[in-house]
Amino acid sequence: MAAEKKQAAEEGPETYWKEFVTPDGVHYYHNSMTGKTTWEKPDALKGPDEMDRGGEWVWIDDEVDGFVPARVVSRGHNGSVLLERENGQQEQVPPKKAATLIPLFWRQLRRPERDLVMLDEMNKPLIIHNLKKRFEDNEIYTNVGTILISVNPYKRLPLYTPSVIETYRRRGMRKLPPHVFEVADSAYTHLMEHQKSQSIVISGESGAGKTEATKQALQYFAEIAGSENNVEQKILLANPILESFGNAKTVRNNNSSRFGKYVEIYFDPRGSICGARSTNYLLEKSRVVLQNEGERNFHIFYELCCGANAQQQQQYRLAGPEYFHYTNQTPSDIDGQDDVEEFATLEDAMHMLQFTDVEKDSVFRIIAGLLHLGNITFRDTGDRQCEIEQKDDSLRNAAELLQVRPGDLQTAITARTMRMRGQEDIRVTLSAGEAVDLRDALAKFVYEKLFDWLVERINKSIGQGSGGARNPRTIGILDIFGFEIFKTNSFEQLCINYANEQLQQFFNAHTFKLEESVYKSEKIQYEHVAYIDNQPVLDLIEKKPHGILRMIDEELRIPRGSDKTFVTKLLDRHRNNPHFASVLRTPTDFIVKHYAGEVHYVSDGFLEKNKDRLNEDTYSMVQTTKMAFLKALFPSETGTTRKKTLGYKFTEQLHVLMNTLNKTEPHYIRCIKPNPNKAPLQFIGPMVLEQLQYSGVFEAVQIRKSGFPFRYSHEEFVKRFKCVMPNATFRDYKKGCATLINALGQNTNEMQIGFSMVLYRAEQHREIELIRNVAVEKTVVLIQQYVRRFLAQCLLKRMKAIRPKLQKAIIACKKSRRMADIDAAIKLAAQISPFFVMKEVDELKWLKHVIVEEERLSKVLAELLSKNDPEGNYEALSRAVASADEIDLHSDEAEEARKVVGVIKERKAVAAALAAGVEEYDEDKLRENLEKAVALGVQENVDKAQEMLDALVTEKEYLYENAVYQLQMLEEENMRDLLSRADGIHYSTPEIERIRELLLNTPQEKFVQMQLKAAVANNDPRRAIRVTIRLKTLYFERAGNLFEFKNCGKLRDPIEWANMKLLTLSRDELIDGFLVWTKNPIHASMTQLTSANNKLAKTAFKSVMGYMGDRAYNYPSGLAVELLTIALNNEPLRDEIYCQIIKQMTENPSGQSIAKGWELLRVCIDTFPPGPEFENFLEMFIRRRAQPPEPMVALLHQSIYGGCLSTVPSAEQVDMVAKGGSLRQFDQSIQAEQQAMEREAAAFGGMGVQGARQAQGLLNYVNPDALTSGPAAAPKMMALDQARQRHHSQVDATPAYSQQPQHQQQQQYQQQQYQQQ
């Protein structure tokens, strides 16, 4: 029963489980019933998204993420596995690969660890997942024990502020999130405590963030250590100079260091910075003359071109970067970097580091000289002969800036001297290509010498202070290029990878060998972890006499040595070396198997690059310069100096560096580049995986996991964990460790007690830290209870003791009103507690406030009342009265002031109400407050209010009359204008509400029918036609498909029509072509006609064809007259003619014929209307086919309304109508009215026809003088003018040649439209 209860507590209601947070910010969970504690979130507290997924899951390779989860769908009998990714994609994995699949447990993914050692399992997928999740949360730093992994975020993060520095500076024993400041702080702390020099080794490929990590570490040391002479600021000032001359944009990084550097910071015995020294390695000087696509030259070239002032531009003969060959090979802009601003920063830094004016001028002069040197071009003039192209002044500019003779410079780069023992020197000319190489070599060497000088000059400016003693205390920061594997790897990559091999050996010695030495010294049991020892690779590269670098030097001493002979000897010597291999396809290449992978080296240029020196002629030419600065960069060389190769010098530098590092306690920062696009929040797993492999991170995690990464001295362990046994006493710390280990539920096999410390792994660390957290939580809560109770009791005791004194002081002060007594009582109470304020203290403070206010108000009120200007001092009087009310002051001055303020307040309220009435058009408010204004003598706003009141009365009278009128006319636009105007002044009558009802609640079709009745009742034919068209539009929108031409009941059946032709071989074609264009005359009428009319119909069709140009006839206008004559004399033929025209306009291949068809249709409509049965079919055809349809539709309704013309139009009249005219007087009257309205609009300032009519209506009804004053006059006039009722003059529009009286036509037209609807 107890077991079931315990299980229910663990799995059941979440009330048993509680979440806690450690001081480090890590969450853990405790069950109050069972006492169980866990880091894992219990199921009872998990949401649906946090529950483990069912089935078997594994990690599978992915091109973007490196590894992604996949569910095992099935396993084959041969060992293959069918997997399904989270996106549903399935993949069959072969047996060999299936055997290497790594299991996935979802619980491992929910808690990204700050330290990879704390991971439940040590595998690559889990490490990549952990780094990615932290990266996505902007947590770019992760630990591997004491090693820091830094993933470049490619965006600004608030991680380096002064407050963050202060947090890590004062961290004490707290565990803070991983950070570069934590590494820097550990180095500084160990320096001060152990008195041993420290080093921080920062590595990673270009774009991984090494330079930024170096800058932040230096910034931290400058902040926490400081100095007496601001030397730490000089160290920071060196960065802009070194970055300008040593950094460049690459495809991987906008500010990539193109050299390695080791910065040693010297500290005095007190821990303050006293000096620094920088050493540079392998400057990429080839960048001066050649840049790859998407990259730039060193920053200084662009900064000088863009940032130099006018005097410098003229002095150094500068132009934009696009002018110079060394800077125009690729685009020069960098997003987010301002070269002008950077140049100003550079000049400030040089000034602060005390560069002299001569030194700065010489540096910039050399940079400008190199730019002009790069613009010198050559052309071949014969066999291995060339000359300089004189297209510009590049040669002269370069020579004058470098202060050498132009002729000497020209000779030095177009020829060389061949020297042989026992013979005279021979002058050998060069081809154009060789001259370019020599020009570029000169530029590279001058720049390299200049950079070396800058580093030494900075070292001189900073100095070493007292740190330059025999045993200096230093912290060194190594920022050096990471391991490189490119498509083409040359001598530079060999040197870089050689340096990384040395650093990896140093890393191995510290991380692996030293780790095991700790276990041996503690005499504990441990398993040896195999790691890659790269000493054989180092021997292959550097060991005398047959190391690769040694053999290159040897080959240079041989007269006919070449890259090819070098590789041949190399292959012979190292053919059996397991770390060396040949390349079968290219015998001149070779492979070195580095710790990070195999690298294919291309030997072309190895010897020349290793030689690393100018020919004697060019070197001697530079020594002739008159610039003392440049001459000092090229001193006379001895034989020993000239024999030193680049490989030899680099090896010497590297050995010095490693000797220095071996004397320090190292700290490591591994910088990782998450993507090749420099894009924020983009994490490409395979790329990160490769870099982790190169940097030895996986091996570091493995040894930490298999070893004992957590360790405390015996004393530290007892003090940390004795809280689990609060009543125990420990006199012997070592025995106490064993006792505590048992109390923590562990055994001494997993938690080993060494000679001086306790060592254990991550699993035990998790368990015992949980137990400790629970114990500390209980203890802290108990301590807080006792402390709070004790403090509360002490406070209560003091308050009881002082309360009688305070009460007595209050009574006395109310009588004496002495401020000194009140202050003394408040001061006495302040000794009790600054956080607990007694009510007596509040009463004393209020009494003090009242006394002070009484004195102040007496003076203020007396002064204000004596001025006899209450209106002018109203605000001040109001504030004084409010203050008097607050302290309940009732002096004579206060009472008088209250009366004055009350009267003024009432007068102001009336004036404000009048202004509000004007703005709101409120008649009642205006009338009420005008009466009050008379009684109080208020003048403000009275005139405006009276004017508005008069205007409102007039307006309401007009609106009432107009509403009655509009209910008769039912003009929608005018009704809406009237309603808007009435709402604007909040006016309503039954008539206005009826208008509102009609506009808002009446169906549109019904309202239009009502408008049609009103138009007929008011004898307004034009409006009747306009409304009828609108009514038809609504009707056709609803039922337009019923009136397609093919559905017309007057048409013959197509089969019947085709059968009326006795002899034909194409009866089906006749049926199909019944309603479409034809080039032949028709054999029968399209509608049912008598025999006689059938013959006339065929004649009429020929006239239609002739007018439209489908048959050749002269005088088409005459054909139209004949057609109209037939129609006017034979009513049954009118619809037939319309049908014929529609037929010929349907599927007509000729656009010109169709246009003539529309002209003919217009002429017919203007002459005679269609019959009632055909009217809607014709209108529907026009609405769908005419462009635009409106004029033709209007003409159709005028024709229906007016009936047929009484006489046949002449040919001239036909032409006039075809071009858009009309023979109907009615249409002409509409045009005349429109022209009159346009003239009215022009008279009213371009308001438009409608606006003009409204404005005219306003002038007819309201006196404008009543609305042209006051603050709101302009908007009121606009609102009224735009809303006025239009007044239409009635125009008799009886059609010309009408056959019927007008009233009969109106009645017949209205009846006809109702029947159709």
Side-chain angles (χ1 to χ4, degrees), residues 137-252:
D137 293 335
N138 289 327
E139 295 177 336
I140 62 173
Y141 294 116
T142 305
N143 281 335
V144 181
T146 58
I147 302 168
L148 180 69
I149 298 176
S150 172
V151 184
N152 193 341
Y154 290 114
K155 65 177 182 178
R156 299 285 184 186
L157 293 174
L159 298 177
Y160 312 106
T161 60
S163 61
V164 177
I165 292 178
E166 191 66 20
T167 299
Y168 281 87
R169 179 182 184 182
R170 302 188 182 280
R171 62 179 177 143
M173 296 300 294
R174 289 182 300 158
K175 289 186 177 180
L176 296 176
H179 200 290
V180 64
F181 292 162
E182 184 182 35
V183 176
D185 187 75
S186 296
Y188 183 74
T189 302
H190 290 186
L191 174 74
M192 301 307 298
E193 292 179 355
H194 305 156
Q195 300 296 308
K196 181 179 180 180
S197 293
Q198 308 288 307
S199 61
I200 300 176
V201 180
I202 303 174
S203 62
E205 69 173 64
S206 176
K210 301 187 300 296
T211 301
E212 187 66 22
T214 302
K215 289 163 63 175
Q216 296 304 332
L218 289 172
Q219 182 70 44
Y220 187 83
F221 293 137
E223 287 291 329
I224 67 169
S227 67
E228 293 183 357
N229 56 357
N230 287 328
V231 68
E232 81 281 0
Q233 295 303 317
K234 291 183 178 180
I235 296 174
L236 297 178
L237 286 169
N239 280 332
I241 301 175
L242 293 178
E243 286 187 9
S244 289
F245 288 87
N247 288 23
K249 175 190 176 183
T250 67
V251 292
R252 301 179 178 183

Side-chain angles (χ1 to χ4, degrees), residues 1107 1115-1122 1124-1125 1163 1208-1219 1223:
Y1107 188 89
Y1115 309 113
S1117 299
L1119 295 174
V1121 171
E1122 180 180 335
L1124 297 176
T1125 302
V1163 170
V1208 178
S1210 64
E1212 291 77 11
Q1213 290 174 325
V1214 166
D1215 291 340
M1216 182 269 293
V1217 173
K1219 293 177 182 179
L1223 298 175

Side-chain angles (χ1 to χ4, degrees), residues 10 57 167 315 367 400 418 694 865 888-889 954 1077 1192:
E10 293 183 4
W57 290 78
T167 299
Q315 182 179 357
I367 296 297
E400 291 180 2
M418 183 179 295
Y694 290 172
L865 293 172
D888 198 25
L889 179 63
T954 303
W1077 173 85
M1192 193 79 80

Side-chain angles (χ1 to χ4, degrees), residues 871-1118:
E871 296 281 353
N873 296 296
Y874 172 72
E875 295 296 334
L877 279 169
S878 296
R879 290 194 296 270
V881 168
S883 298
D885 292 340
E886 181 186 17
I887 64 173
D888 198 25
L889 179 63
H890 292 282
S891 64
D892 294 341
E893 292 88 350
E895 292 301 323
E896 183 179 355
R898 285 189 178 94
K899 293 178 182 178
V900 171
V901 168
V903 173
I904 297 174
K905 188 179 295 185
E906 186 177 4
R907 290 165 60 87
K908 287 185 173 294
V910 170
L914 290 174
V918 171
E919 292 297 323
E920 298 168 4
Y921 308 111
D922 191 330
E923 182 179 356
D924 293 337
K925 184 179 287 188
L926 290 171
R927 290 186 185 280
E928 177 186 353
N929 287 282
L930 281 171
E931 293 176 1
K932 291 181 180 180
V934 173
L936 294 172
V938 176
Q939 298 297 323
E940 185 180 0
N941 296 332
V942 170
D943 292 341
K944 297 176 184 177
Q946 187 62 53
E947 291 174 1
M948 177 53 68
L949 180 61
D950 295 341
L952 282 174
V953 171
T954 303
E955 177 71 1
K956 288 180 179 180
E957 290 175 357
Y958 161 72
L959 288 175
Y960 171 75
E961 296 173 359
N962 199 17
V964 174
Y965 175 73
Q966 290 303 329
L967 286 174
Q968 296 175 2
M969 301 301 296
L970 293 182
E971 282 280 6
E972 182 178 357
E973 186 176 355
N974 293 335
M975 292 169 71
R976 292 190 183 278
D977 290 343
L978 183 141
L979 190 61
S980 173
R981 184 168 170 179
D983 290 343
I985 62 172
H986 313 296
Y987 180 56
S988 177
T989 68
E991 292 77 10
I992 291 175
E993 293 308 312
R994 174 58 179 160
I995 290 175
R996 191 186 310 278
E997 177 71 18
L998 289 173
L999 289 176
L1000 303 181
N1001 298 323
T1002 304
Q1004 188 177 24
E1005 205 165 326
K1006 182 177 179 182
F1007 181 69
V1008 176
Q1009 291 174 355
M1010 294 172 67
Q1011 287 182 309
L1012 181 59
K1013 290 181 180 179
V1016 174
N1018 289 289
N1019 195 25
D1020 189 347
R1022 287 174 290 109
R1023 185 175 175 223
I1025 292 174
R1026 188 171 67 251
V1027 173
T1028 299
I1029 294 173
R1030 185 180 177 192
L1031 191 62
K1032 278 290 189 70
T1033 300
L1034 295 174
Y1035 178 61
F1036 284 143
E1037 288 176 355
R1038 176 166 47 83
N1041 291 335
L1042 296 176
F1043 298 102
E1044 290 188 15
F1045 179 52
K1046 65 181 180 180
N1047 296 329
C1048 180
K1050 295 195 68 174
L1051 291 170
R1052 294 182 188 271
D1053 180 76
I1055 298 176
E1056 173 198 346
W1057 183 75
N1059 289 335
M1060 292 177 71
K1061 188 168 185 178
L1062 299 177
L1063 299 176
T1064 179
L1065 298 176
S1066 55
R1067 197 168 305 279
D1068 290 340
E1069 292 182 4
L1070 283 175
I1071 294 172
D1072 294 338
F1074 177 53
L1075 298 180
V1076 299
W1077 173 85
T1078 179
K1079 61 182 179 181
N1080 301 314
I1082 58 177
H1083 61 278
S1085 64
M1086 298 180 68
T1087 59
Q1088 297 287 349
L1089 295 174
T1090 64
S1091 175
N1093 285 335
N1094 182 53
K1095 184 178 292 187
L1096 285 174
K1098 293 190 287 184
T1099 302
F1101 187 76
K1102 294 179 180 178
S1103 297
V1104 170
M1105 295 178 69
Y1107 188 89
M1108 292 178 63
D1110 297 330
R1111 288 177 68 88
Y1113 286 101
N1114 295 326
Y1115 309 113
S1117 299

